[in-house]
Amino acid sequence: MVSGKKNLGNPMRELKVHKLVLNCCVGESGDRLTRASRVLEQLTGQQPVFSKSRLTIRTFGIRRNEKISTHVTVRGDKAEEILERGLKVKEYELYARNFSNTGSFGFGINEHIDLGIKYDPSTGIYGMDFYVVLKRAGSRVSSRRRAKARVGKYQTVSKDDAIKWFQQKYEGIVL
């Protein structure tokens, strides 16, 4: 990381929430999976996508290509608002192992009703995983089609950058 004072106010160095992925794994297809997707749709206002199992595991009772989970990707202000509600459930405390080396972090909650959704007995209670991807401005140069280039060493997000951002923005505690 650049330690010069001239770069502290640079808007290109600011970290932003690129996307938030909410995953709800049920482990079986059928009615429970559709109810879990309804919970994600209530939370985000977007249509969730179903994920299939990659292989058959007889002890879990799942077959290859069977739909077992549902997920949705949220971006923008809505992602930050849902992230705020999820961190409030975790009381703004995360472990250092929740942060990856690429500057992303994730955590899970046990009950979706803690996010402010009203409990419905016909739906039940579902847990879900939150996964947040942090980026800096200019990261698109590595993924665009024309004039592709590498993201510079000081422009990539590291684990320490993500932890520092979490502590400053949310006044979070890293255990």
Side-chain angles (χ1 to χ4, degrees), residues 19-46:
K19 63 183 173 182
L20 167 69
V21 180
L22 296 169
N23 180 35
C24 187
C25 186
V26 180
E28 63 186 59
S29 59
D31 195 36
R32 282 191 66 211
L33 186 61
T34 54
R35 289 195 308 247
S37 70
R38 203 173 327 129
V39 166
L40 285 179
E41 192 169 355
Q42 283 176 351
L43 184 62
T44 61
Q46 295 177 213

Side-chain angles (χ1 to χ4, degrees), residues 81-146:
E81 183 248 320
I82 294 171
L83 175 62
E84 178 84 36
R85 286 169 34 192
L87 287 171
K88 196 178 291 182
V89 172
K90 297 297 276 185
E91 297 173 349
Y92 300 98
E93 291 182 0
L94 294 177
Y95 292 103
R97 66 174 179 255
N98 289 83
F99 293 86
S100 74
N101 291 331
T102 58
S104 303
F105 66 94
F107 60 92
I109 60 168
N110 293 328
E111 299 179 351
H112 74 275
I113 55 174
D114 294 336
L115 296 171
I117 298 177
K118 193 172 183 303
Y119 174 67
D120 183 17
S122 63
T123 303
I125 294 177
Y126 293 97
M128 61 185 67
D129 300 321
F130 286 68
Y131 196 73
V132 182
V133 179
L134 299 175
K135 295 271 180 159
R136 284 198 170 98
S139 62
R140 184 178 165 270
V141 297
S142 65
S143 58
R144 64 189 179 190
R145 187 179 176 101
R146 185 185 168 278

Side-chain angles (χ1 to χ4, degrees), residues 18 32 42 44-45 47 53 70 84 90 109 154 169-170:
H18 180 64
R32 282 191 66 211
Q42 283 176 351
T44 61
Q47 185 69 35
S53 71
T70 179
E84 178 84 36
K90 297 297 276 185
I109 60 168
Y154 297 117
K169 178 152 182 163
Y170 295 106

Side-chain angles (χ1 to χ4, degrees), residues 28-83:
E28 63 186 59
S29 59
D31 195 36
R32 282 191 66 211
L33 186 61
T34 54
R35 289 195 308 247
S37 70
R38 203 173 327 129
V39 166
L40 285 179
E41 192 169 355
Q42 283 176 351
L43 184 62
T44 61
Q46 295 177 213
Q47 185 69 35
V49 178
F50 295 107
S51 299
K52 296 177 180 179
S53 71
R54 287 184 288 148
L55 41 101
T56 301
I57 303 173
R58 294 185 70 188
T59 55
F60 294 150
I62 59 173
R63 294 182 303 277
R64 186 171 187 266
N65 290 330
E66 180 183 12
K67 293 179 181 177
I68 58 169
S69 73
T70 179
H71 68 276
V72 64
T73 302
V74 188
R75 299 173 196 268
D77 294 333
K78 186 178 280 190
E80 292 189 17
E81 183 248 320
I82 294 171
L83 175 62

